[in-house]
Amino acid sequence: RKEVEQDPGPFNVPEGATVAFNCTYSNSASQSFFWYRQDCRKEPKLLMSVYSSGNEDGRFTAQLNRASQYISLLIRDSKLSDSATYLCVVDVTNAGKSTFGDGTTLTVKP
Amino acid sequence: EAGVTQSPTHLIKTRGQQATLRCSPISGHTSVYWYQQALGLGLQFLLWYDEGEERNRGNFPPRFSGRQFPNYSSELNVNALELEDSALYLCASSRGTPGNTIYFGEGSWLTVV
């Protein structure tokens, strides 16, 4: 079983749609959680951190469920520019090993 | 402020040769991480350096090695190159220990022929 698992998709949605991605992790000692975005053949870039209480940044909402060991990312009012691969990242403090999920690919169509 | 910089951008080597990739972290960052991303696949953790020492290592053979210099820059060496080593090698840096956000460089594309 992978340490971090994501639905690979692809998710194909029309502009304006709401889409949600889930990510599960296996290490209960995980302390920090992030969502990164990666465009084709580019480096991953931080989208947002995920806090225990949940957090929102514009059209993006991230949530953490420690009991069930999953995090989620909700994108509202999808834009064409949201098309990318979204990577779930989990850190075990002091392990120096940010573990990345394999990513979920989103394509937003006109 | 300059981001994480990597060189070379592209590198072509033949099987059996050695490749050296270089990384300069963001100013003030002491931790450097290396990841491998084969085409179409996810990021695989290679190495973590902090304060000049190797702190953790991913599930890669010993021919993958590296070091961190006193100025916190780092290099990744891959010996006895194999075709399957062809990938994007990403370097990232952060302040101190993980839990802090890691920032990636644009990567080095290594092609082994």
Side-chain angles (χ1 to χ4, degrees):
Chain A
R1 182 188 172 190
K2 290 185 177 181
E3 292 183 56
V4 178
E5 296 204 57
Q6 296 183 248
D7 180 348
F11 284 65
N12 297 306
V13 303
E15 271 187 292
T18 295
V19 61
F21 306 137
N22 289 325
C23 167
T24 59
Y25 59 95
S26 60
N27 191 335
S28 59
S30 300
Q31 295 293 323
S32 302
F33 310 88
F34 307 88
W35 283 101
Y36 277 72
R37 168 195 170 127
Q38 186 174 27
D39 293 292
C40 187
R41 300 177 71 86
K42 298 286 191 180
E43 76 277 20
K45 293 184 178 179
L46 177 69
L47 180 64
M48 58 195 305
S49 302
V50 186
Y51 303 120
S52 296
S53 56
N55 49 298
E56 188 174 303
D57 182 3
R59 298 181 293 108
F60 299 84
T61 301
Q63 292 192 314
L64 167 64
N65 185 320
R66 286 189 185 273
S68 301
Q69 295 185 196
Y70 79 82
I71 67 174
S72 64
L73 177 68
L74 181 76
I75 304 175
R76 292 182 300 277
D77 189 22
S78 299
K79 311 290 185 190
L80 296 177
S81 57
D82 294 334
S83 298
T85 296
Y86 291 83
L87 304 169
C88 167
V89 184
V90 174
D91 272 345
V92 175
T93 302
N94 296 324
K97 181 187 161 187
S98 293
T99 303
F100 283 74
D102 288 341
T104 298
T105 299
L106 171 66
T107 301
V108 181
K109 299 185 175 180
Chain B
E1 180 183 288
V4 177
T5 58
Q6 292 187 243
S7 63
T9 306
H10 294 85
L11 187 62
I12 300 175
K13 292 285 188 178
T14 56
R15 198 167 41 183
Q17 285 188 312
Q18 179 198 42
T20 298
L21 309 177
R22 296 179 176 83
C23 172
S24 293
I26 292 171
S27 177
H29 288 191
T30 61
S31 279
V32 171
Y33 313 84
W34 287 95
Y35 286 83
Q36 182 198 64
Q37 187 174 32
L39 199 60
L41 299 180
L43 277 77
Q44 302 299 315
F45 169 74
L46 268 165
L47 290 158
W48 168 36
Y49 291 97
D50 183 61
E51 297 287 356
E53 295 193 15
E54 181 180 305
R55 304 292 187 178
N56 201 354
R57 181 183 181 84
N59 188 25
F60 280 83
R63 57 191 186 82
F64 287 84
S65 65
R67 54 180 170 166
Q68 186 178 34
F69 299 99
N71 66 353
Y72 303 113
S73 66
S74 175
E75 67 179 29
L76 174 70
N77 295 295
V78 188
N79 294 320
L81 285 165
E82 301 178 1
L83 297 178
E84 52 265 34
D85 296 333
S86 295
L88 175 65
Y89 288 83
L90 290 160
C91 174
S93 73
S94 74
R95 293 184 185 278
T97 54
N100 292 312
T101 304
I102 64 173
Y103 297 90
F104 285 88
E106 294 184 351
S108 293
W109 288 95
L110 172 63
T111 302
V112 183
V113 296

